[in-house]
mmCIF file with all atom_site columns, all heavy atoms in Angstrom:
data_model
loop_
_atom_site.group_PDB
_atom_site.id
_atom_site.type_symbol
_atom_site.label_atom_id
_atom_site.label_alt_id
_atom_site.label_comp_id
_atom_site.label_asym_id
_atom_site.label_entity_id
_atom_site.label_seq_id
_atom_site.pdbx_PDB_ins_code
_atom_site.Cartn_x
_atom_site.Cartn_y
_atom_site.Cartn_z
_atom_site.occupancy
_atom_site.B_iso_or_equiv
_atom_site.pdbx_formal_charge
_atom_site.auth_seq_id
_atom_site.auth_comp_id
_atom_site.auth_asym_id
_atom_site.auth_atom_id
_atom_site.pdbx_PDB_model_num
ATOM 1   N N   . SER V 1 1  ? -29.919 -29.810 85.976 1.00 98.00 ? 125 SER V N   1
ATOM 2   C CA  . SER V 1 1  ? -31.382 -29.888 85.973 1.00 98.00 ? 125 SER V CA  1
ATOM 3   C C   . SER V 1 1  ? -31.982 -28.534 85.626 1.00 98.00 ? 125 SER V C   1
ATOM 4   O O   . SER V 1 1  ? -31.352 -27.487 85.805 1.00 98.00 ? 125 SER V O   1
ATOM 5   C CB  . SER V 1 1  ? -31.906 -30.369 87.334 1.00 98.00 ? 125 SER V CB  1
ATOM 6   O OG  . SER V 1 1  ? -31.669 -29.409 88.342 1.00 98.00 ? 125 SER V OG  1
ATOM 7   N N   . GLY V 1 2  ? -33.212 -28.549 85.124 1.00 96.00 ? 126 GLY V N   1
ATOM 8   C CA  . GLY V 1 2  ? -33.893 -27.312 84.775 1.00 96.00 ? 126 GLY V CA  1
ATOM 9   C C   . GLY V 1 2  ? -33.130 -26.510 83.744 1.00 96.00 ? 126 GLY V C   1
ATOM 10  O O   . GLY V 1 2  ? -32.988 -25.291 83.868 1.00 96.00 ? 126 GLY V O   1
ATOM 11  N N   . ALA V 1 3  ? -32.655 -27.184 82.696 1.00 96.00 ? 127 ALA V N   1
ATOM 12  C CA  . ALA V 1 3  ? -31.745 -26.537 81.750 1.00 96.00 ? 127 ALA V CA  1
ATOM 13  C C   . ALA V 1 3  ? -32.351 -26.334 80.368 1.00 96.00 ? 127 ALA V C   1
ATOM 14  O O   . ALA V 1 3  ? -31.627 -26.177 79.394 1.00 96.00 ? 127 ALA V O   1
ATOM 15  C CB  . ALA V 1 3  ? -30.452 -27.348 81.638 1.00 96.00 ? 127 ALA V CB  1
ATOM 16  N N   . SER V 1 4  ? -33.666 -26.309 80.284 1.00 94.00 ? 128 SER V N   1
ATOM 17  C CA  . SER V 1 4  ? -34.287 -26.090 78.979 1.00 94.00 ? 128 SER V CA  1
ATOM 18  C C   . SER V 1 4  ? -34.326 -24.610 78.604 1.00 94.00 ? 128 SER V C   1
ATOM 19  O O   . SER V 1 4  ? -34.707 -24.257 77.490 1.00 94.00 ? 128 SER V O   1
ATOM 20  C CB  . SER V 1 4  ? -35.699 -26.677 78.943 1.00 94.00 ? 128 SER V CB  1
ATOM 21  O OG  . SER V 1 4  ? -36.498 -26.154 79.977 1.00 94.00 ? 128 SER V OG  1
ATOM 22  N N   . GLY V 1 5  ? -33.909 -23.737 79.510 1.00 94.00 ? 129 GLY V N   1
ATOM 23  C CA  . GLY V 1 5  ? -33.875 -22.308 79.218 1.00 94.00 ? 129 GLY V CA  1
ATOM 24  C C   . GLY V 1 5  ? -33.157 -21.549 80.312 1.00 94.00 ? 129 GLY V C   1
ATOM 25  O O   . GLY V 1 5  ? -32.738 -22.122 81.324 1.00 94.00 ? 129 GLY V O   1
ATOM 26  N N   . GLY V 1 6  ? -33.003 -20.257 80.118 1.00 95.00 ? 130 GLY V N   1
ATOM 27  C CA  . GLY V 1 6  ? -32.483 -19.370 81.145 1.00 95.00 ? 130 GLY V CA  1
ATOM 28  C C   . GLY V 1 6  ? -31.103 -19.724 81.659 1.00 95.00 ? 130 GLY V C   1
ATOM 29  O O   . GLY V 1 6  ? -30.178 -20.029 80.902 1.00 95.00 ? 130 GLY V O   1
ATOM 30  N N   . ILE V 1 7  ? -30.955 -19.688 82.987 1.00 97.00 ? 131 ILE V N   1
ATOM 31  C CA  . ILE V 1 7  ? -29.664 -19.931 83.624 1.00 97.00 ? 131 ILE V CA  1
ATOM 32  C C   . ILE V 1 7  ? -29.169 -21.339 83.340 1.00 97.00 ? 131 ILE V C   1
ATOM 33  O O   . ILE V 1 7  ? -27.986 -21.545 83.037 1.00 97.00 ? 131 ILE V O   1
ATOM 34  C CB  . ILE V 1 7  ? -29.769 -19.669 85.139 1.00 97.00 ? 131 ILE V CB  1
ATOM 35  C CG1 . ILE V 1 7  ? -29.958 -18.176 85.409 1.00 97.00 ? 131 ILE V CG1 1
ATOM 36  C CG2 . ILE V 1 7  ? -28.530 -20.183 85.865 1.00 97.00 ? 131 ILE V CG2 1
ATOM 37  C CD1 . ILE V 1 7  ? -30.258 -17.844 86.857 1.00 97.00 ? 131 ILE V CD1 1
ATOM 38  N N   . GLY V 1 8  ? -30.047 -22.326 83.430 1.00 97.00 ? 132 GLY V N   1
ATOM 39  C CA  . GLY V 1 8  ? -29.628 -23.705 83.197 1.00 97.00 ? 132 GLY V CA  1
ATOM 40  C C   . GLY V 1 8  ? -29.086 -23.913 81.795 1.00 97.00 ? 132 GLY V C   1
ATOM 41  O O   . GLY V 1 8  ? -28.080 -24.609 81.596 1.00 97.00 ? 132 GLY V O   1
ATOM 42  N N   . LEU V 1 9  ? -29.739 -23.318 80.807 1.00 97.00 ? 133 LEU V N   1
ATOM 43  C CA  . LEU V 1 9  ? -29.280 -23.435 79.423 1.00 97.00 ? 133 LEU V CA  1
ATOM 44  C C   . LEU V 1 9  ? -27.918 -22.776 79.253 1.00 97.00 ? 133 LEU V C   1
ATOM 45  O O   . LEU V 1 9  ? -27.039 -23.308 78.552 1.00 97.00 ? 133 LEU V O   1
ATOM 46  C CB  . LEU V 1 9  ? -30.299 -22.791 78.485 1.00 97.00 ? 133 LEU V CB  1
ATOM 47  C CG  . LEU V 1 9  ? -30.018 -22.920 76.987 1.00 97.00 ? 133 LEU V CG  1
ATOM 48  C CD1 . LEU V 1 9  ? -30.087 -24.362 76.530 1.00 97.00 ? 133 LEU V CD1 1
ATOM 49  C CD2 . LEU V 1 9  ? -31.017 -22.067 76.188 1.00 97.00 ? 133 LEU V CD2 1
ATOM 50  N N   . ALA V 1 10 ? -27.714 -21.630 79.889 1.00 97.00 ? 134 ALA V N   1
ATOM 51  C CA  . ALA V 1 10 ? -26.422 -20.949 79.810 1.00 97.00 ? 134 ALA V CA  1
ATOM 52  C C   . ALA V 1 10 ? -25.322 -21.785 80.452 1.00 97.00 ? 134 ALA V C   1
ATOM 53  O O   . ALA V 1 10 ? -24.187 -21.830 79.955 1.00 97.00 ? 134 ALA V O   1
ATOM 54  C CB  . ALA V 1 10 ? -26.513 -19.574 80.485 1.00 97.00 ? 134 ALA V CB  1
ATOM 55  N N   . ILE V 1 11 ? -25.644 -22.449 81.555 1.00 98.00 ? 135 ILE V N   1
ATOM 56  C CA  . ILE V 1 11 ? -24.658 -23.318 82.208 1.00 98.00 ? 135 ILE V CA  1
ATOM 57  C C   . ILE V 1 11 ? -24.291 -24.474 81.282 1.00 98.00 ? 135 ILE V C   1
ATOM 58  O O   . ILE V 1 11 ? -23.112 -24.830 81.139 1.00 98.00 ? 135 ILE V O   1
ATOM 59  C CB  . ILE V 1 11 ? -25.200 -23.842 83.552 1.00 98.00 ? 135 ILE V CB  1
ATOM 60  C CG1 . ILE V 1 11 ? -25.383 -22.686 84.541 1.00 98.00 ? 135 ILE V CG1 1
ATOM 61  C CG2 . ILE V 1 11 ? -24.261 -24.891 84.145 1.00 98.00 ? 135 ILE V CG2 1
ATOM 62  C CD1 . ILE V 1 11 ? -26.156 -23.065 85.798 1.00 98.00 ? 135 ILE V CD1 1
ATOM 63  N N   . ALA V 1 12 ? -25.294 -25.071 80.644 1.00 97.00 ? 136 ALA V N   1
ATOM 64  C CA  . ALA V 1 12 ? -25.030 -26.162 79.707 1.00 97.00 ? 136 ALA V CA  1
ATOM 65  C C   . ALA V 1 12 ? -24.139 -25.700 78.566 1.00 97.00 ? 136 ALA V C   1
ATOM 66  O O   . ALA V 1 12 ? -23.170 -26.388 78.189 1.00 97.00 ? 136 ALA V O   1
ATOM 67  C CB  . ALA V 1 12 ? -26.351 -26.709 79.168 1.00 97.00 ? 136 ALA V CB  1
ATOM 68  N N   . ARG V 1 13 ? -24.438 -24.528 78.022 1.00 96.00 ? 137 ARG V N   1
ATOM 69  C CA  . ARG V 1 13 ? -23.634 -24.006 76.914 1.00 96.00 ? 137 ARG V CA  1
ATOM 70  C C   . ARG V 1 13 ? -22.185 -23.773 77.354 1.00 96.00 ? 137 ARG V C   1
ATOM 71  O O   . ARG V 1 13 ? -21.234 -24.063 76.605 1.00 96.00 ? 137 ARG V O   1
ATOM 72  C CB  . ARG V 1 13 ? -24.245 -22.710 76.398 1.00 96.00 ? 137 ARG V CB  1
ATOM 73  C CG  . ARG V 1 13 ? -23.496 -22.112 75.218 1.00 96.00 ? 137 ARG V CG  1
ATOM 74  C CD  . ARG V 1 13 ? -24.154 -20.854 74.689 1.00 96.00 ? 137 ARG V CD  1
ATOM 75  N NE  . ARG V 1 13 ? -25.369 -21.154 73.941 1.00 96.00 ? 137 ARG V NE  1
ATOM 76  C CZ  . ARG V 1 13 ? -26.596 -20.855 74.337 1.00 96.00 ? 137 ARG V CZ  1
ATOM 77  N NH1 . ARG V 1 13 ? -26.781 -20.251 75.514 1.00 96.00 ? 137 ARG V NH1 1
ATOM 78  N NH2 . ARG V 1 13 ? -27.646 -21.138 73.600 1.00 96.00 ? 137 ARG V NH2 1
ATOM 79  N N   . ALA V 1 14 ? -22.007 -23.280 78.561 1.00 96.00 ? 138 ALA V N   1
ATOM 80  C CA  . ALA V 1 14 ? -20.662 -23.004 79.064 1.00 96.00 ? 138 ALA V CA  1
ATOM 81  C C   . ALA V 1 14 ? -19.861 -24.293 79.255 1.00 96.00 ? 138 ALA V C   1
ATOM 82  O O   . ALA V 1 14 ? -18.671 -24.351 78.910 1.00 96.00 ? 138 ALA V O   1
ATOM 83  C CB  . ALA V 1 14 ? -20.743 -22.229 80.379 1.00 96.00 ? 138 ALA V CB  1
ATOM 84  N N   . PHE V 1 15 ? -20.499 -25.330 79.792 1.00 97.00 ? 139 PHE V N   1
ATOM 85  C CA  . PHE V 1 15 ? -19.806 -26.602 79.943 1.00 97.00 ? 139 PHE V CA  1
ATOM 86  C C   . PHE V 1 15 ? -19.442 -27.195 78.583 1.00 97.00 ? 139 PHE V C   1
ATOM 87  O O   . PHE V 1 15 ? -18.337 -27.720 78.393 1.00 97.00 ? 139 PHE V O   1
ATOM 88  C CB  . PHE V 1 15 ? -20.660 -27.595 80.728 1.00 97.00 ? 139 PHE V CB  1
ATOM 89  C CG  . PHE V 1 15 ? -20.451 -27.577 82.205 1.00 97.00 ? 139 PHE V CG  1
ATOM 90  C CD1 . PHE V 1 15 ? -21.364 -26.957 83.054 1.00 97.00 ? 139 PHE V CD1 1
ATOM 91  C CD2 . PHE V 1 15 ? -19.339 -28.187 82.782 1.00 97.00 ? 139 PHE V CD2 1
ATOM 92  C CE1 . PHE V 1 15 ? -21.174 -26.944 84.425 1.00 97.00 ? 139 PHE V CE1 1
ATOM 93  C CE2 . PHE V 1 15 ? -19.139 -28.175 84.149 1.00 97.00 ? 139 PHE V CE2 1
ATOM 94  C CZ  . PHE V 1 15 ? -20.057 -27.555 84.976 1.00 97.00 ? 139 PHE V CZ  1
ATOM 95  N N   . LEU V 1 16 ? -20.354 -27.118 77.629 1.00 96.00 ? 140 LEU V N   1
ATOM 96  C CA  . LEU V 1 16 ? -20.061 -27.623 76.288 1.00 96.00 ? 140 LEU V CA  1
ATOM 97  C C   . LEU V 1 16 ? -18.891 -26.873 75.657 1.00 96.00 ? 140 LEU V C   1
ATOM 98  O O   . LEU V 1 16 ? -18.036 -27.476 75.002 1.00 96.00 ? 140 LEU V O   1
ATOM 99  C CB  . LEU V 1 16 ? -21.302 -27.508 75.403 1.00 96.00 ? 140 LEU V CB  1
ATOM 100 C CG  . LEU V 1 16 ? -22.421 -28.520 75.680 1.00 96.00 ? 140 LEU V CG  1
ATOM 101 C CD1 . LEU V 1 16 ? -23.695 -28.115 74.930 1.00 96.00 ? 140 LEU V CD1 1
ATOM 102 C CD2 . LEU V 1 16 ? -22.003 -29.933 75.287 1.00 96.00 ? 140 LEU V CD2 1
ATOM 103 N N   . ALA V 1 17 ? -18.847 -25.567 75.868 1.00 94.00 ? 141 ALA V N   1
ATOM 104 C CA  . ALA V 1 17 ? -17.751 -24.768 75.315 1.00 94.00 ? 141 ALA V CA  1
ATOM 105 C C   . ALA V 1 17 ? -16.402 -25.185 75.900 1.00 94.00 ? 141 ALA V C   1
ATOM 106 O O   . ALA V 1 17 ? -15.361 -25.042 75.244 1.00 94.00 ? 141 ALA V O   1
ATOM 107 C CB  . ALA V 1 17 ? -18.010 -23.286 75.575 1.00 94.00 ? 141 ALA V CB  1
ATOM 108 N N   . GLU V 1 18 ? -16.424 -25.712 77.129 1.00 95.00 ? 142 GLU V N   1
ATOM 109 C CA  . GLU V 1 18 ? -15.197 -26.197 77.762 1.00 95.00 ? 142 GLU V CA  1
ATOM 110 C C   . GLU V 1 18 ? -14.832 -27.609 77.309 1.00 95.00 ? 142 GLU V C   1
ATOM 111 O O   . GLU V 1 18 ? -13.809 -28.149 77.714 1.00 95.00 ? 142 GLU V O   1
ATOM 112 C CB  . GLU V 1 18 ? -15.356 -26.176 79.286 1.00 95.00 ? 142 GLU V CB  1
ATOM 113 C CG  . GLU V 1 18 ? -15.430 -24.793 79.895 1.00 95.00 ? 142 GLU V CG  1
ATOM 114 C CD  . GLU V 1 18 ? -14.105 -24.057 79.837 1.00 95.00 ? 142 GLU V CD  1
ATOM 115 O OE1 . GLU V 1 18 ? -13.051 -24.709 79.997 1.00 95.00 ? 142 GLU V OE1 1
ATOM 116 O OE2 . GLU V 1 18 ? -14.122 -22.831 79.611 1.00 95.00 ? 142 GLU V OE2 1
ATOM 117 N N   . GLY V 1 19 ? -15.710 -28.215 76.488 1.00 94.00 ? 143 GLY V N   1
ATOM 118 C CA  . GLY V 1 19 ? -15.441 -29.561 75.999 1.00 94.00 ? 143 GLY V CA  1
ATOM 119 C C   . GLY V 1 19 ? -16.012 -30.666 76.855 1.00 94.00 ? 143 GLY V C   1
ATOM 120 O O   . GLY V 1 19 ? -15.733 -31.853 76.611 1.00 94.00 ? 143 GLY V O   1
ATOM 121 N N   . ALA V 1 20 ? -16.814 -30.320 77.847 1.00 96.00 ? 144 ALA V N   1
ATOM 122 C CA  . ALA V 1 20 ? -17.393 -31.326 78.741 1.00 96.00 ? 144 ALA V CA  1
ATOM 123 C C   . ALA V 1 20 ? -18.545 -32.053 78.072 1.00 96.00 ? 144 ALA V C   1
ATOM 124 O O   . ALA V 1 20 ? -19.133 -31.577 77.098 1.00 96.00 ? 144 ALA V O   1
ATOM 125 C CB  . ALA V 1 20 ? -17.876 -30.662 80.031 1.00 96.00 ? 144 ALA V CB  1
ATOM 126 N N   . ARG V 1 21 ? -18.864 -33.223 78.612 1.00 97.00 ? 145 ARG V N   1
ATOM 127 C CA  . ARG V 1 21 ? -20.081 -33.937 78.238 1.00 97.00 ? 145 ARG V CA  1
ATOM 128 C C   . ARG V 1 21 ? -21.202 -33.407 79.129 1.00 97.00 ? 145 ARG V C   1
ATOM 129 O O   . ARG V 1 21 ? -21.006 -33.247 80.333 1.00 97.00 ? 145 ARG V O   1
ATOM 130 C CB  . ARG V 1 21 ? -19.904 -35.442 78.431 1.00 97.00 ? 145 ARG V CB  1
ATOM 131 C CG  . ARG V 1 21 ? -18.781 -36.027 77.584 1.00 97.00 ? 145 ARG V CG  1
ATOM 132 C CD  . ARG V 1 21 ? -18.561 -37.504 77.898 1.00 97.00 ? 145 ARG V CD  1
ATOM 133 N NE  . ARG V 1 21 ? -18.081 -37.708 79.254 1.00 97.00 ? 145 ARG V NE  1
ATOM 134 C CZ  . ARG V 1 21 ? -16.805 -37.751 79.606 1.00 97.00 ? 145 ARG V CZ  1
ATOM 135 N NH1 . ARG V 1 21 ? -15.859 -37.599 78.681 1.00 97.00 ? 145 ARG V NH1 1
ATOM 136 N NH2 . ARG V 1 21 ? -16.455 -37.953 80.867 1.00 97.00 ? 145 ARG V NH2 1
ATOM 137 N N   . VAL V 1 22 ? -22.369 -33.178 78.538 1.00 97.00 ? 146 VAL V N   1
ATOM 138 C CA  . VAL V 1 22 ? -23.429 -32.479 79.266 1.00 97.00 ? 146 VAL V CA  1
ATOM 139 C C   . VAL V 1 22 ? -24.757 -33.207 79.125 1.00 97.00 ? 146 VAL V C   1
ATOM 140 O O   . VAL V 1 22 ? -25.188 -33.524 78.011 1.00 97.00 ? 146 VAL V O   1
ATOM 141 C CB  . VAL V 1 22 ? -23.578 -31.024 78.762 1.00 97.00 ? 146 VAL V CB  1
ATOM 142 C CG1 . VAL V 1 22 ? -24.766 -30.344 79.425 1.00 97.00 ? 146 VAL V CG1 1
ATOM 143 C CG2 . VAL V 1 22 ? -22.302 -30.240 79.013 1.00 97.00 ? 146 VAL V CG2 1
ATOM 144 N N   . ALA V 1 23 ? -25.412 -33.458 80.257 1.00 98.00 ? 147 ALA V N   1
ATOM 145 C CA  . ALA V 1 23 ? -26.783 -33.969 80.279 1.00 98.00 ? 147 ALA V CA  1
ATOM 146 C C   . ALA V 1 23 ? -27.662 -32.900 80.899 1.00 98.00 ? 147 ALA V C   1
ATOM 147 O O   . ALA V 1 23 ? -27.323 -32.334 81.941 1.00 98.00 ? 147 ALA V O   1
ATOM 148 C CB  . ALA V 1 23 ? -26.868 -35.258 81.092 1.00 98.00 ? 147 ALA V CB  1
ATOM 149 N N   . ILE V 1 24 ? -28.773 -32.584 80.243 1.00 98.00 ? 148 ILE V N   1
ATOM 150 C CA  . ILE V 1 24 ? -29.689 -31.580 80.763 1.00 98.00 ? 148 ILE V CA  1
ATOM 151 C C   . ILE V 1 24 ? -31.067 -32.196 80.956 1.00 98.00 ? 148 ILE V C   1
ATOM 152 O O   . ILE V 1 24 ? -31.477 -33.075 80.209 1.00 98.00 ? 148 ILE V O   1
ATOM 153 C CB  . ILE V 1 24 ? -29.780 -30.345 79.845 1.00 98.00 ? 148 ILE V CB  1
ATOM 154 C CG1 . ILE V 1 24 ? -30.338 -30.710 78.461 1.00 98.00 ? 148 ILE V CG1 1
ATOM 155 C CG2 . ILE V 1 24 ? -28.418 -29.670 79.721 1.00 98.00 ? 148 ILE V CG2 1
ATOM 156 C CD1 . ILE V 1 24 ? -30.580 -29.503 77.561 1.00 98.00 ? 148 ILE V CD1 1
ATOM 157 N N   . THR V 1 25 ? -31.757 -31.734 81.995 1.00 98.00 ? 149 THR V N   1
ATOM 158 C CA  . THR V 1 25 ? -33.112 -32.213 82.235 1.00 98.00 ? 149 THR V CA  1
ATOM 159 C C   . THR V 1 25 ? -34.107 -31.068 82.112 1.00 98.00 ? 149 THR V C   1
ATOM 160 O O   . THR V 1 25 ? -33.776 -29.892 82.277 1.00 98.00 ? 149 THR V O   1
ATOM 161 C CB  . THR V 1 25 ? -33.272 -32.832 83.640 1.00 98.00 ? 149 THR V CB  1
ATOM 162 O OG1 . THR V 1 25 ? -33.417 -31.790 84.620 1.00 98.00 ? 149 THR V OG1 1
ATOM 163 C CG2 . THR V 1 25 ? -32.099 -33.725 83.998 1.00 98.00 ? 149 THR V CG2 1
ATOM 164 N N   . GLY V 1 26 ? -35.338 -31.451 81.821 1.00 96.00 ? 150 GLY V N   1
ATOM 165 C CA  . GLY V 1 26 ? -36.464 -30.539 81.779 1.00 96.00 ? 150 GLY V CA  1
ATOM 166 C C   . GLY V 1 26 ? -37.727 -31.371 81.862 1.00 96.00 ? 150 GLY V C   1
ATOM 167 O O   . GLY V 1 26 ? -37.697 -32.588 81.651 1.00 96.00 ? 150 GLY V O   1
ATOM 168 N N   . ARG V 1 27 ? -38.836 -30.722 82.175 1.00 93.00 ? 151 ARG V N   1
ATOM 169 C CA  . ARG V 1 27 ? -40.066 -31.489 82.378 1.00 93.00 ? 151 ARG V CA  1
ATOM 170 C C   . ARG V 1 27 ? -40.789 -31.827 81.086 1.00 93.00 ? 151 ARG V C   1
ATOM 171 O O   . ARG V 1 27 ? -41.608 -32.749 81.068 1.00 93.00 ? 151 ARG V O   1
ATOM 172 C CB  . ARG V 1 27 ? -41.002 -30.733 83.325 1.00 93.00 ? 151 ARG V CB  1
ATOM 173 C CG  . ARG V 1 27 ? -40.515 -30.739 84.766 1.00 93.00 ? 151 ARG V CG  1
ATOM 174 C CD  . ARG V 1 27 ? -41.469 -30.005 85.678 1.00 93.00 ? 151 ARG V CD  1
ATOM 175 N NE  . ARG V 1 27 ? -41.521 -28.580 85.380 1.00 93.00 ? 151 ARG V NE  1
ATOM 176 C CZ  . ARG V 1 27 ? -42.297 -27.714 86.004 1.00 93.00 ? 151 ARG V CZ  1
ATOM 177 N NH1 . ARG V 1 27 ? -43.114 -28.131 86.956 1.00 93.00 ? 151 ARG V NH1 1
ATOM 178 N NH2 . ARG V 1 27 ? -42.271 -26.433 85.688 1.00 93.00 ? 151 ARG V NH2 1
#
């Protein structure tokens, strides 16, 4: 959640780099 920028976006990028499937939320 809260992954449209900053820390959340970095977490999403890191999971994607590991090959994971990623869902991100933002308002």
Side-chain angles (χ1 to χ4, degrees):
S125 67
S128 56
I131 291 172
L133 184 65
I135 294 169
R137 182 178 286 111
F139 269 103
L140 286 169
E142 291 290 323
R145 299 175 294 269
V146 175
I148 63 174
T149 79
R151 288 181 294 178

